[in-house]
Amino acid sequence: MRPDIKLEDITIRTEPRPGDMGYVIYLHGDLYKKEYGYSSIELETYIAESFCEFYKNYDPQKDRVWVAEYQNRIVGHLALMHRENDAAQLRFFILDTACQGIGLGKKLAGLFFDELKHNGYKSSYLWTLAELSAAAGIYKKLGYTLTQEVETTTLGKTAREQRYDLVLKD
C-alpha cells in the first residue's frame, strides 16, 4: 500500500461481490493479530460466523454494505444490519492501516448515518473491543454511548467486549 493515498483516490461501492466476505475476514484477522495480539484463527472464525448470519438475513431494502477500494483492492468496509424493533447494527467496520487518518472512516460513518435516516431506523448499536480506543472515540463522536461491557475469551485471548448504543431523534 502506498503511503500517499488520498480520500479522493478511493471508490466506495454498495453492492456485495464474490470475495468481499473472505477478504474482509482476512483484514480483520491480519489487523487484530498484528495490532492487538489476537489469534487470527479464532477471530476470523468469529467474523466469518457473523458474516454468514449477515448474508443469510441480507435484505437489500434494509441492509447495506460499503466497500472502499483503492486500485481494485478492498481497503475499508462497513455494514448496516437490520435488527428487530427498528434497530440497526453497525458491523464489520475496518480500515486498512494505510488508509487510516485520511477521512475514510468518517466518510463511511457518514454514509451509514445517511442510510439509518433514510430507512427510518430508531436506534443503532455496535459491539467492539475495549482495546480499540480510537474506534471508541469515533463512536462517541457519532453519539453512541457505552452501555455494556463483558469479558470474553472466545477470540484467542481475554478481552473486554463493549456495546455502544445510539437512540436516533425523529
Side-chain angles (χ1 to χ4, degrees):
M1 207 44 77
R2 294 182 11 219
D4 59 340
I5 298 171
K6 296 177 184 66
L7 184 59
E8 53 270 12
D9 297 331
I10 295 172
T11 58
I12 299 172
R13 61 178 165 81
T14 56
E15 74 281 351
R17 293 185 186 158
D20 288 353
M21 183 173 22
Y23 196 76
V24 173
I25 292 166
Y26 160 77
L27 279 176
H28 277 85
D30 186 57
L31 179 80
Y32 283 56
K33 183 169 181 63
K34 287 178 183 172
E35 300 284 325
Y36 305 103
Y38 284 90
S39 162
S40 57
I41 299 298
E42 289 168 301
L43 181 84
E44 287 181 29
T45 299
Y46 171 80
I47 299 294
E49 288 169 348
S50 300
F51 254 117
C52 287
E53 176 198 7
F54 177 72
Y55 280 114
K56 282 180 183 176
N57 298 301
Y58 185 77
D59 179 342
Q61 300 302 315
K62 298 178 182 179
D63 302 306
R64 187 76 62 234
V65 295
W66 293 273
V67 182
E69 295 178 317
Y70 174 74
Q71 297 181 344
N72 297 314
R73 182 174 168 216
I74 296 174
V75 294
H77 188 275
L78 176 61
L80 182 155
M81 182 174 186
H82 76 279
R83 295 297 193 179
E84 294 180 359
N85 303 320
D86 294 323
Q89 186 177 4
L90 187 153
R91 305 214 66 188
F92 317 117
F93 194 9
I94 192 158
L95 301 177
D96 187 295
T97 54
C99 294
Q100 294 175 359
I102 64 169
L104 180 57
K106 184 177 181 179
K107 172 80 174 175
L108 292 171
L111 293 168
F112 178 88
F113 269 85
D114 290 346
E115 192 67 22
L116 281 177
K117 292 174 188 172
H118 175 76
N119 278 342
Y121 286 105
K122 304 291 185 218
S123 65
S124 177
Y125 71 93
L126 63 95
W127 283 93
T128 189
L129 297 166
E131 293 172 90
L132 281 65
S133 56
I138 292 170
Y139 303 138
K140 289 174 186 174
K141 283 182 186 175
L142 295 171
Y144 285 86
T145 56
L146 178 63
T147 57
Q148 188 177 356
E149 196 165 37
V150 295
E151 190 172 290
T152 183
T153 57
T154 61
L155 303 174
K157 72 176 197 176
T158 301
R160 285 188 346 264
E161 286 186 287
Q162 297 178 321
R163 179 178 165 138
Y164 284 82
D165 283 272
L166 172 72
V167 176
L168 296 162
K169 297 177 177 142
D170 292 329

